[in-house]
Amino acid sequence: MEKRVVRVGLMGFGTVGTGVVRIISAHQEDLQKQTGLGIEIKKILVQDAEKARSIRSMENMLTTDPAELLENPDIDVIVEVIGGISPAKEYILGALEHGKHVVTANKDLMALHGAEILSKAQEKGCDVFYEASVAGGIPILRALVEGFSSDRITKMMGIVNGTTNYILTKMSQEGAEYADVLKEAQALGYAEANPTSDVEGFDAARKMAILATLGFRVPMKLEDVDVKGISSVSKEDIAYGKQLGYEVKLLGLARRDGEAVEVSVQPTMVPKSHPLASVNGVFNAVYVHGEAVGETMFYGPGAGELPTATAVVSDLVTVVKNMSLGVNGRGMVAPYKEKILKDDSQKLSKYFLRIVVADKRGVLAKITQMLADKNISLEQVIQQPYNNGSQAEIIMITHLSSKSDMDSVRKDMEQMEIITEVKSCYRVEGGDQ
Amino acid sequence: MEKRVVRVGLMGFGTVGTGVVRIISAHQEDLQKQTGLGIEIKKILVQDAEKARSIRSMENMLTTDPAELLENPDIDVIVEVIGGISPAKEYILGALEHGKHVVTANKDLMALHGAEILSKAQEKGCDVFYEASVAGGIPILRALVEGFSSDRITKMMGIVNGTTNYILTKMSQEGAEYADVLKEAQALGYAEANPTSDVEGFDAARKMAILATLGFRVPMKLEDVDVKGISSVSKEDIAYGKQLGYEVKLLGLARRDGEAVEVSVQPTMVPKSHPLASVNGVFNAVYVHGEAVGETMFYGPGAGELPTATAVVSDLVTVVKNMSLGVNGRGMVAPYKEKILKDDSQKLSKYFLRIVVADKRGVLAKITQMLADKNISLEQVIQQPYNNGSQAEIIMITHLSSKSDMDSVRKDMEQMEIITEVKSCYRVEGGDQ
């Protein structure tokens, strides 16, 4: 099946779509050298064909009718950069149904319906690649599937949402409050007008579900991910964290002990000496621990027109190489391990606790006794006056404790008369490897 | 060409070879799931078949005769982990001649004779993969060849030698002298009895030649790399660097401006805010800047039995997948761009200069004038008493300057009567992107 030119149907012509067109046209010669074939954009699906575009030369390819791409026998590959679930899902399934290969940047779709899409692709012998769906410009999915194919990955940690990392970095560097930094981020375009999906951790959770599926070869679903966002992180939490040697990050965690796995996204105290602690601003990073390889980390831009478009076009290059070799549909390994989720008693972590108590003699003793009764011991404690000395504030870092014990402690604490308020409770990275 | 089991001939049974055997046997089921084929070690070439081995079960596979692997029709793939140029080169060429695929961890060989080996592989339709040759456990070669296939890489910087990074990290953290730390590193096994290849930068140069060839798709040779080692780095250089906001790293640099390239390995002042500055101890990292993707970095173990063996077995998995698809010999893109090396006037960098001068009025003015005459201006200057005040020490960071101008300034400085000694001169990272 030697063809001189591979013909692409592009769905979506926003920032990423524009980047895809620019890269393909700028690197035509290099791409041809690598793949042996030319790459040509044949049709572009847009919502409004009359809208002014930054790339004028493509105007005659625009269409608002998806069938002109999906049912077009002249199109070999569909590149989907519309985003969202519907109609992207119908388009992609339609493309596969017509035997077209697919490259997508759609994390929402792959996190929710990846299994269905990959199984349709397998049935049709088509490629589906989605490197751009996680950590934009970082080729992390390839690393998991190929670079570590001979290893057993035990832990992945990701700063995979640029908006929240920008906000937490600003809060840390400037001692600013969450609400103020969020407003600033919205003004700068780093956060959306409705920031819920980012700040509540849902975006990061989608990416962690994709990473965990590939890294552990277990079919993880979005609802398997414990999610907590950053909207309740205060500047005091960050300041106390720093004092104790930590930076607060919205950390995706995927961990495997034996065959049991856990995946979460939550604000986490990361030791300053850990390479993830110095990943700042809108940058993303994914830390991977493998039994044989040990510690590795991949760092880069998590979003942006050109980084995301680079990942999309690199996937497209893989599709084109596969076409010229006649081996499409064999690239990704479908998850083949049974999903065994940890229960909360198996999720071990250190915790950061900040509580306000009545400033009475013996309060700290009562609290540590209560923790000891739940098998929780302390690594660090700070007690200091609060509210002009009428109360005290206690900041604790625990040793490893189970999530169930910690949840139960928090419930008990809310009932204890001497405790005025449980201000915050965060996972602390470390102590488990 | 469906086979049930792929049969491997292993050349070398030291630490990496042992790791390869361990990983293949521990992950047999996973490997089979991924590749559809089993992987079996058939023969192991050793120097001494009588020597005691940590893996006893392999004893009946040992041989001292390379022909038992190279001419064995039952062997499909040769894994070479002997190291060095000869006889590894003859073995690999012999394996290819017999139509066997090759996986190697041999940076010396690939840096010096990579072109010849890859061209023989192409002629015979065989795979040659060598991920383990650069930065051990970090899958950086795959990232360059596949992950960034659609981008144009403009700059790569690597901390690619663990021994020197361990020494510089210790010197920085403890204010220790080079010679003392080297001794300690030798005692701990982090440096060899004859450390020349590491400390003089030759090992790093080989890896940078491999990275530059793949990243720029230009056939770089080892002799194209400017090399300077760390044996002359003093604790004072490191202390002044810190004071000015830098860490000293032995940095491999591969940079492209237009079509002209430069590759060097030299002690470099890296700004503390740069992600490479916090890569410490025996860890390696490769920073990649692409026109579209921007900044990315890959971090991990640069050596060690299991990390290196992981990279070797992951390459083996790729060979096996290619065998089951019948597409061997198509994996690596041969360099196709003409090599255009920059001359020294095109190599622009900031520089750190430390000189000792007579403590006379007007000395600094004379020196800055002399620099200005060579188009070199200063970004930072520290002057302070030296040798009990009888002399002065001047530490300077320049703005961007060409290597030729800086070389000429250093020559002139050695002739100037007011300058007692040019203590050190290092490249300073930054200012060029």
Side-chain angles (χ1 to χ4, degrees):
Chain A
M1 63 159 292
E2 210 60 42
K3 298 186 191 179
R4 311 238 58 185
V5 171
V6 171
R7 295 145 312 171
V8 175
L10 177 63
M11 298 190 138
F13 202 26
T15 53
V16 176
T18 308
V20 168
V21 171
R22 280 190 211 283
I23 290 175
I24 290 176
S25 96
H27 295 178
Q28 191 61 241
E29 192 198 330
D30 269 355
L31 298 176
Q32 172 121 29
K33 282 269 168 51
Q34 287 178 57
T35 61
L37 301 176
I39 297 178
E40 184 191 307
I41 298 199
K42 197 87 187 170
K43 280 278 171 200
I44 303 177
L45 179 70
V46 294
Q47 281 195 300
D48 174 2
E50 305 303 315
K51 192 174 140 188
R53 305 281 166 182
S54 58
I55 304 180
R56 302 287 292 277
S57 59
M58 313 301 282
E59 270 168 8
N60 56 339
M61 297 173 196
L62 305 185
T63 173
T64 56
D65 178 8
E68 285 194 37
L69 286 75
L70 301 176
E71 293 166 20
N72 188 335
D74 283 347
I75 286 178
D76 308 295
V77 188
I78 293 290
V79 171
E80 184 272 309
V81 290
I82 306 170
I85 302 299
S86 187
K89 184 184 174 193
E90 292 72 31
Y91 292 167
I92 286 179
L93 289 172
L96 294 169
E97 196 56 58
H98 285 88
K100 301 185 195 312
H101 310 296
V102 171
V103 173
T104 173
N106 196 324
K107 60 186 172 287
D108 303 11
L109 186 57
M110 291 312 292
L112 280 169
H113 303 288
E116 181 182 349
I117 288 167
L118 293 173
S119 128
K120 171 64 78 178
Q122 201 156 21
E123 180 197 324
K124 293 290 175 178
C126 291
D127 282 338
V128 173
F129 292 115
Y130 49 102
E131 181 67 76
S133 67
V134 180
I138 310 173
I140 180 67
L141 303 191
R142 280 165 205 280
L144 293 180
V145 173
E146 295 170 15
F148 299 132
S149 59
S150 70
D151 202 354
R152 187 167 185 281
I153 293 169
T154 52
K155 189 175 179 183
M156 289 173 278
M157 296 193 289
I159 294 175
V160 288
N161 179 273
T163 303
T164 47
N165 203 48
Y166 173 85
I167 292 173
L168 291 173
T169 301
K170 274 273 177 181
M171 287 175 73
S172 170
Q173 288 173 349
E174 299 174 3
E177 284 289 9
Y178 169 78
D180 298 333
V181 180
L182 173 59
K183 257 182 230 156
E184 193 190 317
Q186 287 171 319
L188 288 168
Y190 292 154
E192 312 219 8
N194 177 353
T196 309
S197 165
D198 290 318
V199 300
E200 296 308 341
F202 304 131
D203 173 80
R206 289 177 200 120
K207 295 165 179 168
M208 290 311 298
I210 294 173
L211 286 178
T213 299
L214 284 175
F216 297 156
R217 308 184 192 283
V218 163
M220 295 301 295
K221 294 199 158 179
L222 189 53
E223 57 263 35
D224 300 324
V225 185
D226 287 334
V227 187
K228 187 180 161 190
I230 65 162
S231 56
S232 61
V233 175
S234 70
K235 68 177 183 183
E236 288 78 18
D237 294 329
I238 291 177
Y240 284 122
K242 275 192 179 180
Q243 200 177 328
L244 294 164
Y246 298 94
E247 292 286 348
V248 179
K249 295 289 179 190
L250 182 66
L251 206 65
L253 169 73
R255 191 161 46 172
R256 168 156 72 174
D257 292 291
E259 293 307 315
V261 298
E262 67 173 297
V263 185
S264 69
V265 170
Q266 57 189 306
T268 302
M269 296 274 174
V270 179
K272 281 182 190 165
S273 59
H274 195 287
L276 284 167
S278 39
V279 174
N280 288 324
V282 295
F283 275 92
N284 278 201
V286 179
Y287 168 102
V288 179
H289 185 277
E291 270 179 2
V293 78
E295 298 190 285
T296 62
M297 192 177 86
F298 302 80
Y299 167 95
E305 171 189 333
L306 286 176
T308 308
T310 301
V312 167
V313 181
S314 293
D315 275 351
L316 185 57
V317 167
T318 306
V319 171
V320 173
K321 282 184 186 168
N322 287 348
M323 286 176 71
S324 84
L325 298 170
V327 293
N328 299 96
R330 310 287 291 265
M332 300 306 255
V333 181
Y336 53 81
K337 297 205 188 227
E338 191 193 349
K339 181 169 72 182
I340 302 168
L341 295 177
K342 288 189 195 173
D343 65 43
D344 285 354
S345 72
Q346 296 170 299
K347 298 174 184 170
L348 301 183
S349 284
K350 305 202 290 182
Y351 284 90
F352 167 100
L353 266 171
R354 181 159 74 92
I355 59 178
V356 175
V357 298
D359 191 13
K360 288 191 194 143
R361 188 188 304 260
V363 164
L364 188 57
K366 273 188 194 145
I367 288 168
T368 50
Q369 183 57 51
M370 180 269 231
L371 289 167
D373 292 344
K374 298 278 183 187
N375 308 309
I376 297 176
S377 61
L378 297 178
E379 186 181 289
Q380 292 187 73
V381 182
I382 300 175
Q383 177 172 351
Q384 57 184 31
Y386 186 77
N387 201 6
N388 296 320
S390 64
Q391 292 164 302
E393 191 173 32
I394 301 178
I395 296 100
M396 294 167 272
I397 305 268
T398 72
H399 286 293
L400 285 186
S401 145
S402 72
K403 184 171 189 299
S404 49
D405 283 342
M406 184 49 65
D407 286 347
S408 144
V409 156
R410 288 183 59 185
K411 254 189 212 141
D412 289 359
M413 281 185 164
E414 274 154 26
Q415 303 307 316
M416 282 173 83
E417 214 170 300
I418 51 167
I419 295 183
T420 316
E421 190 183 353
V422 178
K423 284 273 187 189
S424 36
C425 177
Y426 301 117
R427 189 181 161 267
V428 175
E429 170 52 27
D432 62 326
Q433 296 270 4
Chain B
M1 58 159 299
E2 210 62 42
K3 298 186 192 178
R4 311 237 61 184
V5 170
V6 171
R7 295 147 309 173
V8 175
L10 177 62
M11 298 189 139
F13 202 26
T15 53
V16 176
T18 309
V20 168
V21 171
R22 280 190 210 285
I23 290 176
I24 290 176
S25 97
H27 295 178
Q28 191 62 240
E29 193 198 328
D30 269 355
L31 296 176
Q32 172 120 32
K33 282 269 170 48
Q34 288 178 55
T35 62
L37 302 177
I39 297 178
E40 185 192 307
I41 298 198
K42 199 86 187 169
K43 281 279 173 200
I44 304 178
L45 179 69
V46 294
Q47 279 195 299
D48 175 2
E50 305 304 317
K51 191 174 141 189
R53 306 283 166 182
S54 58
I55 304 179
R56 303 287 292 275
S57 60
M58 312 302 280
E59 270 168 9
N60 57 341
M61 297 174 196
L62 305 185
T63 174
T64 55
D65 177 8
E68 286 194 36
L69 286 75
L70 300 177
E71 292 167 19
N72 189 334
D74 283 348
I75 286 179
D76 308 296
V77 187
I78 293 290
V79 171
E80 184 272 309
V81 290
I82 307 171
I85 301 300
S86 187
K89 184 184 172 192
E90 293 72 30
Y91 292 167
I92 287 179
L93 289 172
L96 294 169
E97 196 55 57
H98 286 89
K100 299 184 196 315
H101 310 295
V102 171
V103 173
T104 174
N106 196 325
K107 59 184 173 288
D108 304 9
L109 187 57
M110 292 311 292
L112 279 170
H113 303 288
E116 182 182 348
I117 289 168
L118 294 172
S119 127
K120 171 65 76 178
Q122 200 157 19
E123 179 197 325
K124 294 289 175 178
C126 291
D127 283 339
V128 173
F129 293 115
Y130 48 103
E131 181 67 75
S133 67
V134 180
I138 312 173
I140 179 67
L141 303 191
R142 281 164 204 280
L144 292 181
V145 173
E146 295 170 16
F148 299 132
S149 59
S150 69
D151 202 353
R152 188 170 185 279
I153 293 169
T154 52
K155 189 174 179 182
M156 289 173 277
M157 294 192 291
I159 293 174
V160 289
N161 179 274
T163 303
T164 47
N165 203 48
Y166 173 84
I167 293 173
L168 292 172
T169 301
K170 274 272 177 180
M171 287 176 73
S172 169
Q173 288 174 349
E174 299 175 3
E177 284 290 8
Y178 169 77
D180 299 332
V181 179
L182 173 59
K183 258 182 230 155
E184 193 190 317
Q186 285 171 320
L188 289 166
Y190 292 156
E192 312 218 7
N194 177 353
T196 309
S197 166
D198 290 319
V199 300
E200 296 307 340
F202 304 130
D203 174 82
R206 290 178 199 120
K207 294 164 179 168
M208 291 310 298
I210 295 173
L211 287 177
T213 299
L214 284 175
F216 296 155
R217 307 181 192 285
V218 164
M220 295 301 295
K221 295 201 158 180
L222 189 53
E223 57 262 36
D224 300 325
V225 185
D226 287 333
V227 187
K228 187 180 161 190
I230 65 162
S231 55
S232 61
V233 174
S234 69
K235 68 177 184 184
E236 288 78 19
D237 293 330
I238 292 178
Y240 284 123
K242 274 193 177 176
Q243 200 178 327
L244 294 164
Y246 298 94
E247 292 285 350
V248 179
K249 295 290 180 189
L250 183 65
L251 206 67
L253 169 73
R255 191 161 46 172
R256 168 155 73 173
D257 292 291
E259 293 307 314
V261 299
E262 65 172 299
V263 185
S264 68
V265 169
Q266 55 188 308
T268 302
M269 296 274 173
V270 179
K272 282 183 188 163
S273 59
H274 195 286
L276 285 168
S278 40
V279 174
N280 287 324
V282 296
F283 275 93
N284 279 200
V286 179
Y287 168 101
V288 179
H289 185 277
E291 269 179 5
V293 78
E295 297 190 285
T296 63
M297 192 177 85
F298 302 80
Y299 168 94
E305 170 189 333
L306 286 176
T308 308
T310 303
V312 168
V313 182
S314 294
D315 274 352
L316 185 56
V317 167
T318 306
V319 172
V320 174
K321 282 185 186 169
N322 287 348
M323 286 176 70
S324 86
L325 297 170
V327 294
N328 299 96
R330 310 288 289 264
M332 300 305 257
V333 181
Y336 54 80
K337 297 206 190 226
E338 192 193 349
K339 181 169 71 182
I340 302 169
L341 296 177
K342 289 190 196 174
D343 64 43
D344 285 355
S345 72
Q346 296 170 301
K347 298 175 184 169
L348 300 184
S349 284
K350 304 203 290 182
Y351 284 90
F352 168 100
L353 266 171
R354 180 160 75 92
I355 58 179
V356 175
V357 298
D359 192 12
K360 288 191 193 141
R361 188 188 302 263
V363 165
L364 188 58
K366 273 190 194 143
I367 289 167
T368 50
Q369 182 58 49
M370 181 269 233
L371 290 167
D373 291 345
K374 299 278 183 186
N375 308 309
I376 298 176
S377 61
L378 297 178
E379 187 181 287
Q380 292 188 73
V381 182
I382 300 176
Q383 177 173 350
Q384 57 185 32
Y386 187 76
N387 201 5
N388 296 320
S390 64
Q391 291 164 302
E393 192 173 33
I394 301 178
I395 296 100
M396 295 167 271
I397 304 266
T398 72
H399 285 296
L400 285 186
S401 144
S402 72
K403 184 170 187 301
S404 49
D405 283 341
M406 184 49 64
D407 286 346
S408 142
V409 155
R410 287 183 60 187
K411 254 190 214 145
D412 289 359
M413 280 184 164
E414 274 154 27
Q415 303 307 315
M416 279 173 87
E417 212 170 304
I418 51 168
I419 296 183
T420 315
E421 191 183 351
V422 178
K423 284 273 187 187
S424 37
C425 176
Y426 301 118
R427 191 181 159 265
V428 175
E429 170 52 28
D432 63 326
Q433 297 270 1

